Amino acid sequence: MKFFLDTANANDIRYYSEMGLVDGVTTNPSLIAREGRDFKTVVKEICTIVSGPVSAEVTGNTFEEMVSQAREIASWASNIVVKIPMTTEGLKAVKVLSDEGIKTNVTLVFSVSQGLLAAKAGANYISPFLGRLDDVGSSGIELVRDLHKILTNYGFKTEIISASVRSADHVKQAALVNSDIATIPANIFGKLWSHPLTDKGLALFANDWAEFQKKQKNNGGK
Ligand code: G3P
């Protein structure tokens, strides 16, 4: 499973990319707004840090607005994927953009039918929102499992990005149901490798090593 960072914060992206762990980045209007910087400047900067796909979302609601914004956004860098909302107008836009070779990520997917339609329209990626489905008492993971089965059954090339990831357990569950990608907020990303028993074990090793060194020294190095 590939790991994307779900953030528009260039410092976080740089930090985790240097560890070799970031396969791509997803942003949305809320994440861009949080940075308080110019949209184009931020997206272009992210594309210089990460060589994998970087999703940047359109904000228009009509087919015409979405297509025109998507063409503009796609011209900013070769690794841009244009995020299009799961609406009727959005699906029409995805079809046209896909015919033009512009990569798309259909976002705000909450049902199997939405995901299937997006794949049929030619989306390169679909983004089911795990946390937001869980929030309303549905199962985000169940949706990813169903989508994966259906896309595989029919040989679609569309990749599933598990989005709205709220915990390390979401990442594990997404991997168990064959999600192609999990897009993970920076605060969750940082928790993926920590475990109290790892910290405890390290402290124990350090302590035993220090005791051993002390003994060696007292024995004159023998
Ligand atoms: O990129 C979209 C997304 O991951 C949203 O997450 O936590 O706002 O539901 P959240």
Side-chain angles (χ1 to χ4, degrees):
M1 185 170 67
K2 283 170 270 186
F3 282 2
F4 286 4
L5 260 185
D6 196 24
T7 182
N9 185 282
N11 289 335
D12 284 339
I13 296 166
R14 209 167 277 117
Y15 178 75
Y16 290 110
S17 294
E18 278 167 8
M19 299 174 88
L21 294 169
V22 178
D23 299 305
V25 169
T26 52
T27 68
N28 61 38
S30 308
L31 294 172
I32 296 282
R34 203 175 292 167
E35 295 308 306
R37 299 171 61 207
D38 172 64
F39 179 36
K40 182 174 176 180
T41 309
V42 175
V43 171
K44 284 184 84 167
E45 183 179 357
I46 295 172
C47 289
T48 63
I49 306 170
V50 174
S51 56
V54 173
S55 288
E57 190 160 340
V58 297
T59 48
N61 295 318
T62 66
F63 163 79
E64 288 80 12
E65 284 167 344
M66 286 191 233
V67 169
S68 134
Q69 282 182 2
R71 286 177 182 145
E72 157 73 11
I73 294 170
S75 73
W76 296 343
S78 58
N79 52 337
I80 293 263
V81 172
V82 183
K83 231 173 169 182
I84 306 279
M86 177 57 225
T87 60
T88 319
E89 296 288 289
L91 286 182
K92 273 165 63 185
V94 168
K95 176 82 186 82
V96 167
L97 295 168
S98 138
D99 289 345
E100 288 179 17
I102 292 176
K103 293 215 164 84
T104 55
N105 170 3
V106 173
T107 187
L108 293 164
V109 168
F110 294 99
S111 72
V112 166
S113 56
Q114 287 181 326
L116 185 55
L117 285 176
K120 276 183 77 72
N124 300 82
Y125 303 91
I126 50 173
S127 293
F129 276 32
L130 307 193
R132 292 194 198 181
L133 269 171
D134 292 354
D135 289 346
V136 296
S138 291
S139 167
I141 289 296
E142 199 91 329
L143 174 60
V144 175
R145 180 187 292 122
D146 290 348
L147 281 169
H148 178 264
K149 174 111 184 66
I150 290 166
L151 296 184
T152 307
N153 282 352
Y154 292 97
F156 283 104
K157 296 269 179 287
T158 309
E159 291 187 73
I160 300 173
I161 304 180
S162 290
S164 188
V165 162
R166 303 272 173 78
S167 62
D169 192 59
H170 262 155
V171 178
K172 168 186 154 185
Q173 297 298 334
L176 282 171
V177 296
N178 301 301
S179 185
D180 300 285
I181 300 146
T183 189
I184 309 165
N187 63 325
I188 307 291
F189 213 94
K191 286 185 184 148
L192 292 182
W193 53 79
S194 66
H195 195 287
L197 289 178
T198 305
D199 299 340
K200 201 174 159 190
L202 262 180
L204 190 63
F205 288 154
N207 187 59
D208 289 348
W209 189 250
E211 288 294 320
F212 172 61
Q213 299 289 91
K214 216 191 300 171
K215 269 188 204 146
Q216 294 266 79
K217 208 171 158 196
N218 291 342
N219 291 342
K222 286 175 206 153

